[in-house]
Amino acid sequence: MKIEIWSDVACPWCFIGKRRFESALENFEHKDGVEVQWRSYQLDPSLPEQYDGSETEYLSQMKGMPEAQVRQMFDHVKTQAAGEGLAYDFDKVVVANSFTAHRFMHLAKEHGKMDAAKEALLSGHFEHGENIGDIDYLVRTGVVLGLDEAEVRGALEGDKYAAEVRADIAEARALGVTGVPFFVLDRKYGISGAQPAEVFAQALRQAWGERSPLTVLSGTNDDGATCGPEGCN
């Protein structure tokens, strides 16, 4: 079963949703038969490489909300994050465009490191105040993950993987995704938001149970010629 997850590195609920989904998947009896693929999405493509202000100021301006109300919202999100073992620090968050970070994750995917890259960037952004738009930070992260420093820097200083990021975003739009995290199970079921682990667990069981085994309609006699590893007949 294939599960695609559209999310943004700059989305606080995406990290919480990742933890809740992982909890459900860890206890799923068929977890070894599940392939997870992270897909790119941007909440605010118009952001500059780095915003000259705090996360509170940014959201206050973007949503037209008083800063006090934004801080109340942060308190709620921090409580939810803490429940998943995450230590959010919104005072440290560096507001930056996430497009380069998504390109970095596609590079990591080429080396089988996409999940580790996603984890590192989400933690760096929300827990440690790292700048996800800064190439030097992304290069350091890549090195920690075992990627080649020159390869990472070369890719990010150019426009490599930009097409892949845009394709992910376009596909999300085609599927009707308007918010993240968004989970798609076998292109049959969609789950919107950082749902409780129990919801993910139920969805996994249902989607797995509805997977249909292949029914062979012919091939029980010698009339159908086939080719296999041992040759053709």
Side-chain angles (χ1 to χ4, degrees), residues 104-116:
F104 170 76
M105 284 190 292
H106 275 277
L107 169 62
K109 178 184 177 183
E110 294 291 319
H111 298 274
K113 302 280 188 178
M114 196 177 201
D115 189 74

Side-chain angles (χ1 to χ4, degrees), residues 123-136:
S123 178
H125 184 63
F126 288 108
E127 298 183 300
H128 304 290
E130 299 286 0
N131 183 352
I132 58 172
D134 180 62
I135 289 178
D136 288 338

Side-chain angles (χ1 to χ4, degrees), residues 110-233:
E110 294 291 319
H111 298 274
K113 302 280 188 178
M114 196 177 201
D115 189 74
K118 186 75 172 180
E119 178 73 19
L121 296 190
L122 285 167
S123 178
H125 184 63
F126 288 108
E127 298 183 300
H128 304 290
E130 299 286 0
N131 183 352
I132 58 172
D134 180 62
I135 289 178
D136 288 338
Y137 163 65
L138 296 172
V139 170
R140 292 196 305 271
T141 301
V143 171
V144 170
L145 296 178
L147 304 181
D148 179 74
E149 179 177 355
E151 180 185 2
V152 177
R153 186 173 296 279
L156 298 185
E157 288 182 347
D159 64 352
K160 197 169 184 181
Y161 303 107
E164 287 82 347
V165 175
R166 293 190 180 100
D168 278 356
I169 295 171
E171 192 163 2
R173 191 179 302 115
L175 288 172
V177 177
T178 58
V180 289
F182 195 89
F183 303 76
V184 176
L185 287 67
D186 266 348
R187 287 299 172 105
K188 187 175 183 180
Y189 295 106
I191 302 175
S192 179
Q195 300 290 340
E198 295 78 12
V199 173
F200 288 122
Q202 180 180 354
L204 287 169
R205 290 191 297 268
Q206 181 174 344
W208 186 273
E210 294 182 7
R211 296 173 75 243
S212 300
L214 182 68
T215 300
V216 179
L217 299 178
S218 63
T220 56
N221 54 42
D222 296 330
D223 295 337
T226 59
C227 291
E230 305 302 324
C232 299
N233 58 46

